[in-house]
Amino acid sequence: MKFGGTSMAGMERIRNVALRVKHEVGLGNEVAVVVSAMAGETDRLVGFCKEASPLYDEAEYDVVVASGEQVTSGLLAMTLKAIGVDARSWLGWQLPIRTVEAHSKARIDDIETQALLQAMAAGQVAVIPGFQGQMADGRVSTLGRGGSDTSAVAIAAAVKAERCDIYTDVDGVYTTDPRIVSRARKLNKVTYEEMLELASVGSKVLQTRSVALAMKEKVRVQVLSSFEQPGNDPEPGTMIVSEEEIEESDMERQLITGIAHDKNEAKIIVTRVPDKPGAVASIFLPLAEASINVDMIIQNDSKDNAETDVTFTVPRADLARSVDILEARKESIGFRRIITDAEVAKISVVGVGMRSHAGVAALMFKTLADRGINIEAISTSEIKVSVLIDEDETELAVRVLHTAYGLDGDQPAG
Amino acid sequence: MKFGGTSMAGMERIRNVALRVKHEVGLGNEVAVVVSAMAGETDRLVGFCKEASPLYDEAEYDVVVASGEQVTSGLLAMTLKAIGVDARSWLGWQLPIRTVEAHSKARIDDIETQALLQAMAAGQVAVIPGFQGQMADGRVSTLGRGGSDTSAVAIAAAVKAERCDIYTDVDGVYTTDPRIVSRARKLNKVTYEEMLELASVGSKVLQTRSVALAMKEKVRVQVLSSFEQPGNDPEPGTMIVSEEEIEESDMERQLITGIAHDKNEAKIIVTRVPDKPGAVASIFLPLAEASINVDMIIQNDSKDNAETDVTFTVPRADLARSVDILEARKESIGFRRIITDAEVAKISVVGVGMRSHAGVAALMFKTLADRGINIEAISTSEIKVSVLIDEDETELAVRVLHTAYGLDGDQPAG
């Protein structure tokens, strides 16, 4: 069971979490709980570090910010004991959760589970602070912001958990954003791959990194609501599972799982690039070296076989930097000018059942064209077709596609 | 160097602490710094624990409250690095600081110093959270409130420090409370024994426990002000040292070091107790069993050789409980009635140079009698004479005694 900062914000909420854990224990389950810091606490601690120095030491940053989860894990363990549930906290360095690479953005390498499994088998609930671990030199590490989801999945994998329940402020994964489409349906099951596509294009229910880890380790993750009354059987959320499990259980599953939208990209057009070997590479190599993540790429047909326009998208936050990098290489690349557009949105149709891209794409293009929505770029992956459109048309596009692929539920989402 | 919660309250003050440490390093010293949590933080964390459960689990309490010092040690280490002073934090479990006995009030057993001394010898400042340690089972422990002074002295002893500088909100130890006597003088040196008497009777500069440890381990402790501008040589405070060091250095030292007062006691008179063997023991045995600390005891002369009045003092906070315990044993003890008075004060004249109690006591009684101050009880120790008086006369008594023993300085204390 994993609870985020909103669920841990204050003793009244921590008491609710404890009741939820008690219910799960009462069902005969061995339970490990991973907790975030109280909402706002990590920001407060990061604020101190930034005030100390803009170039703060990252090993000491880890010492400071890891304290937030230490506090909530101790508080949850004592609250559980107070309501008659045996429990203890296991700090990152006590298990230990061994991490590698860099302080403040460490990666979990390995989790020692012997003592943990013994305690759990003896009926003791393990309360584990998320987000933290220990480096090989014995120092405290943290996984980077939002790392608690990753901690939960890693621990679930290490103890070979039946499932990893992640309590969030939504009650599951939907066919699309319910704020846009009132008839969006909650999905009972979704595959890791679909969840990755849905997460990476804007349905920010779980950290992408935690889903990738779940897929690698085959951890069955359930997303469910932390807002329900504790103590009863919780309303089932959405299970994130392997494709095999879905195929076995859900024969009549629809081809398309959901429609995602993402307003975090910006479009760059580099005009009249010489149409010769190496020219396009000379655009993308310096961007890659600057760790700028280029997403969609379209190279227009060359009009006179001598020059071509190259269109691509980058994260909106990297737009200015991308332009600077390219302008500095204008002569060596040999382009005419750069045209940018930050007011674009990427709309994606996602589904592992998608066998024919052509059919899915054709319906997408026709549906959008019928509403007069112009497509500025297209990209596809194994389980997704994405188009770039004008940002103002995001909501309209999502709505008409949700209907066109037969995803609308019988009644508005609750 | 040890800094308390007021000195660590916010980044601006932590920066001042860092400058002070830098200055000390610049003098060519190897420095370990012990820090408290930010002022108010421990109260906040204890508040969460009490809210979780009045009977909170003390091992988890330690996990929660130890985080306060973890935060400040990380912040000070990164602030030092930001101003060019190599530094790192060493958490209680990283050294480790091994503790024994009970969670939430542990005692330091042993400190592993090998890595610490290596780092310090290599020019790295060690920043160590006060108040925390680690139990033999690997769990986090804390030393009880105010334990950071004790941590500092224990670490100074373990690394065989030349001295342990404790920065506080006063600039040293005075001949008496400067708020009562404006001509109180700051003492350059005071012995451990004197400091214990001064501390235990109300001059709460240092935790009694830390002074006792310093005496046992022969750590030279300096109390000095944290309010001065950092970066310059600090104004010397008061050195707390062994009697030998004082005798060697300070031949003309006065017999009396200071006048202390304590309003935390209450007087109990048990009247007409049978004057027979065992009767007095039957009063004090149940109080001792209830961990009530009885201080001054006077047994009045028996008037008719059959009954006697027994007068003694207990901590004011234990008065009601003491009366309850005695009333419950009224028949077996066989006393007439109990008279209590919470409005008393203990005034003590302290000095290791005190060779003749008679002379010191005589001057004390005469001085108080001249002002019409009635003495309700008397007790003495090797280096102290104490009297119990009416609480309302505390300030007057301290002033006249300070003058009578020649302690007044030339000008009012700064």
Side-chain angles (χ1 to χ4, degrees):
Chain A
M1 303 174 80
K2 186 263 169 179
F3 295 91
T6 313
S7 301
M8 300 304 288
M11 286 313 304
E12 195 183 320
R13 295 191 184 178
I14 290 177
R15 207 163 290 126
N16 277 341
V17 167
L19 290 172
R20 234 178 266 281
V21 172
K22 183 176 190 169
H23 180 77
E24 204 66 44
V25 170
L27 297 176
N29 291 315
E30 290 176 21
V31 180
V33 189
V34 173
V35 296
S36 296
M38 293 192 190
E41 183 63 9
T42 305
D43 285 339
R44 187 176 81 102
L45 296 168
V46 171
F48 285 138
C49 295
K50 288 185 175 161
E51 227 187 302
S53 165
L55 298 168
Y56 50 72
D57 183 84
E58 289 183 331
E60 301 299 346
Y61 166 96
D62 284 351
V63 169
V64 173
V65 299
S67 69
E69 283 75 10
Q70 176 170 333
V71 168
T72 47
S73 58
L75 290 175
L76 179 58
M78 70 171 65
T79 305
L80 283 165
K81 292 194 93 161
I83 60 171
V85 179
D86 189 24
R88 76 156 274 196
S89 61
W90 294 88
L91 303 181
W93 54 268
Q94 283 174 329
L95 286 171
I97 296 173
R98 296 191 191 93
T99 61
V100 290
E101 292 168 20
H103 276 287
S104 87
K105 42 188 175 291
R107 198 169 54 75
I108 295 176
D109 185 44
D110 170 55
I111 298 176
E112 180 62 50
T113 56
Q114 199 188 343
L116 183 68
L117 287 172
Q118 255 173 26
M120 287 172 68
Q124 190 180 57
V125 171
V127 183
I128 302 168
F131 176 61
Q132 65 177 238
Q134 186 179 35
M135 291 296 192
D137 64 2
R139 300 203 67 182
V140 173
S141 58
T142 68
L143 309 181
R145 292 304 293 270
S148 288
D149 286 349
T150 305
S151 298
V153 171
I155 289 159
V159 301
K160 299 186 176 36
E162 190 183 313
R163 57 176 210 276
C164 175
D165 285 354
I166 299 194
Y167 288 81
T168 69
D169 51 7
V170 298
D171 63 353
V173 181
Y174 278 75
T175 49
T176 196
D177 186 342
R179 287 168 304 183
I180 296 179
V181 180
S182 63
R183 287 182 186 279
R185 282 184 299 108
K186 188 166 79 178
L187 296 160
N188 295 327
K189 286 189 179 175
V190 66
T191 67
Y192 302 118
E193 294 82 355
E194 288 168 335
M195 189 65 197
L196 278 175
E197 293 293 357
L198 291 169
S200 68
V201 290
S203 305
K204 299 274 179 201
V205 177
L206 294 183
Q207 237 210 332
T208 304
R209 189 175 163 199
S210 66
V211 180
L213 182 64
M215 178 162 74
K216 175 168 168 279
E217 301 285 347
K218 299 200 179 3
V219 174
R220 301 173 72 240
V221 175
Q222 181 175 208
V223 172
L224 66 181
S225 169
S226 60
F227 292 135
E228 283 178 65
Q229 273 306 312
N232 302 319
D233 277 323
E235 185 76 17
T238 299
M239 289 296 307
I240 308 169
V241 295
S242 66
E243 198 173 338
E244 296 78 52
E245 183 171 339
I246 290 213
E247 281 174 356
E248 283 164 18
S249 69
D250 200 0
M251 297 293 289
E252 298 185 59
R253 197 159 186 274
Q254 280 165 297
L255 294 186
I256 299 303
T257 307
I259 314 290
H261 64 93
D262 180 9
K263 295 181 177 179
N264 291 314
E265 297 202 14
K267 183 175 71 170
I268 296 176
I269 307 175
V270 183
T271 69
R272 306 190 66 176
V273 180
D275 194 5
K276 62 178 187 197
V280 172
S282 68
I283 293 175
F284 295 117
L285 210 61
L287 295 176
E289 278 164 2
S291 297
I292 293 170
N293 198 10
V294 172
D295 181 17
M296 307 172 99
I297 301 176
I298 307 109
Q299 185 174 347
N300 291 3
D301 271 346
S302 184
K303 277 144 204 140
D304 54 2
N305 289 324
E307 288 171 331
T308 181
D309 290 353
V310 178
T311 303
F312 57 92
T313 62
V314 294
R316 229 175 251 193
D318 291 330
L319 178 57
R321 205 156 58 96
S322 304
V323 171
D324 287 349
I325 288 168
L326 295 176
E327 288 289 1
R329 289 164 181 77
K330 184 165 186 175
E331 272 187 48
S332 63
I333 301 171
F335 62 86
R336 170 78 63 90
R337 56 191 281 254
I338 292 175
I339 303 165
T340 66
D341 184 0
E343 290 169 358
V344 292
K346 186 165 83 167
I347 310 295
S348 303
V349 173
V350 176
V352 280
M354 192 183 290
R355 297 292 170 224
S356 147
H357 280 95
V360 170
L363 179 55
M364 189 174 196
F365 303 156
K366 181 179 182 309
T367 306
L368 296 176
D370 284 351
R371 292 303 186 113
I373 297 169
N374 189 40
I375 296 173
E376 301 178 28
I378 302 167
S379 73
T380 62
S381 77
E382 281 300 303
I383 62 163
K384 169 186 83 166
V385 180
S386 302
V387 296
L388 201 68
I389 63 170
D390 190 293
E391 186 180 2
D392 289 343
E393 295 177 313
T394 306
E395 285 73 18
L396 174 62
V398 169
R399 267 189 220 108
V400 296
L401 291 171
H402 199 263
T403 303
Y405 288 98
L407 295 171
D408 290 353
D410 294 337
Q411 49 193 350
Chain B
M1 303 175 80
K2 186 263 171 179
F3 295 91
T6 313
S7 302
M8 301 303 290
M11 287 312 305
E12 196 183 319
R13 294 190 185 180
I14 291 176
R15 207 164 290 126
N16 278 340
V17 167
L19 290 173
R20 236 178 264 281
V21 172
K22 184 177 190 170
H23 180 76
E24 205 67 43
V25 170
L27 298 176
N29 291 315
E30 289 176 22
V31 180
V33 189
V34 173
V35 295
S36 297
M38 292 191 191
E41 182 64 10
T42 304
D43 286 339
R44 187 176 81 102
L45 295 167
V46 171
F48 286 137
C49 294
K50 288 185 175 160
E51 227 187 304
S53 165
L55 298 168
Y56 50 73
D57 182 83
E58 290 184 331
E60 300 299 346
Y61 165 95
D62 284 351
V63 169
V64 173
V65 299
S67 69
E69 283 75 11
Q70 176 170 334
V71 168
T72 47
S73 58
L75 291 175
L76 178 58
M78 70 171 65
T79 305
L80 283 166
K81 292 193 92 161
I83 61 169
V85 179
D86 190 22
R88 76 156 274 195
S89 62
W90 294 88
L91 303 181
W93 54 268
Q94 284 175 328
L95 286 171
I97 295 173
R98 296 191 191 93
T99 61
V100 290
E101 293 168 19
H103 275 288
S104 87
K105 43 189 173 292
R107 197 168 55 74
I108 296 177
D109 185 44
D110 169 56
I111 300 176
E112 179 62 52
T113 56
Q114 198 188 344
L116 184 68
L117 286 172
Q118 255 173 26
M120 287 172 69
Q124 190 180 56
V125 171
V127 183
I128 303 167
F131 176 62
Q132 66 178 240
Q134 186 179 35
M135 291 296 192
D137 65 0
R139 300 202 68 182
V140 173
S141 58
T142 68
L143 308 182
R145 291 306 291 270
S148 288
D149 286 348
T150 305
S151 300
V153 171
I155 288 159
V159 302
K160 299 185 174 35
E162 189 183 311
R163 56 176 212 274
C164 175
D165 285 354
I166 299 194
Y167 287 81
T168 70
D169 51 6
V170 298
D171 62 355
V173 181
Y174 277 74
T175 50
T176 196
D177 186 340
R179 287 168 304 182
I180 295 180
V181 180
S182 63
R183 287 182 187 279
R185 282 184 299 109
K186 189 168 78 180
L187 295 160
N188 295 327
K189 286 189 178 174
V190 66
T191 67
Y192 301 119
E193 294 83 354
E194 288 168 334
M195 190 65 198
L196 279 175
E197 294 293 357
L198 291 168
S200 68
V201 290
S203 303
K204 299 274 179 205
V205 178
L206 293 184
Q207 238 210 331
T208 304
R209 189 176 163 197
S210 66
V211 180
L213 181 64
M215 179 161 73
K216 177 168 168 278
E217 300 286 347
K218 298 201 180 0
V219 174
R220 301 174 73 240
V221 175
Q222 181 175 208
V223 172
L224 65 181
S225 169
S226 61
F227 291 138
E228 285 178 63
Q229 273 307 310
N232 303 319
D233 278 322
E235 186 75 18
T238 299
M239 287 298 307
I240 308 168
V241 295
S242 66
E243 199 172 338
E244 295 78 51
E245 183 171 341
I246 291 216
E247 282 174 353
E248 283 164 18
S249 71
D250 201 359
M251 297 292 290
E252 299 185 56
R253 197 159 186 273
Q254 281 165 296
L255 294 186
I256 300 304
T257 306
I259 314 291
H261 63 94
D262 181 6
K263 295 182 178 179
N264 291 315
E265 297 202 11
K267 184 176 70 170
I268 296 177
I269 307 175
V270 184
T271 69
R272 306 189 67 173
V273 180
D275 194 4
K276 61 177 189 198
V280 173
S282 68
I283 291 174
F284 296 116
L285 210 60
L287 295 177
E289 278 164 2
S291 297
I292 292 169
N293 197 12
V294 173
D295 182 16
M296 306 171 99
I297 301 177
I298 307 108
Q299 185 173 347
N300 291 3
D301 270 347
S302 183
K303 276 144 205 139
D304 53 2
N305 290 324
E307 289 171 335
T308 180
D309 290 353
V310 178
T311 303
F312 56 92
T313 61
V314 295
R316 230 175 251 194
D318 291 330
L319 178 58
R321 204 155 58 93
S322 302
V323 171
D324 287 349
I325 287 168
L326 295 176
E327 288 289 1
R329 289 162 181 78
K330 183 167 187 172
E331 273 188 47
S332 62
I333 300 172
F335 62 87
R336 169 76 63 91
R337 56 192 281 256
I338 291 175
I339 302 165
T340 65
D341 183 1
E343 290 169 357
V344 291
K346 187 165 83 167
I347 310 296
S348 304
V349 173
V350 176
V352 281
M354 191 184 288
R355 297 293 169 223
S356 148
H357 280 95
V360 170
L363 178 57
M364 188 172 195
F365 303 156
K366 181 179 183 309
T367 305
L368 296 177
D370 284 352
R371 292 301 187 114
I373 298 170
N374 189 39
I375 295 174
E376 302 178 27
I378 301 167
S379 73
T380 61
S381 77
E382 281 299 303
I383 62 163
K384 172 185 85 170
V385 180
S386 302
V387 296
L388 201 68
I389 63 170
D390 190 293
E391 186 180 2
D392 289 343
E393 295 177 312
T394 307
E395 284 73 19
L396 175 61
V398 169
R399 266 189 222 109
V400 296
L401 291 171
H402 199 264
T403 303
Y405 287 99
L407 296 171
D408 290 353
D410 294 336
Q411 49 194 348

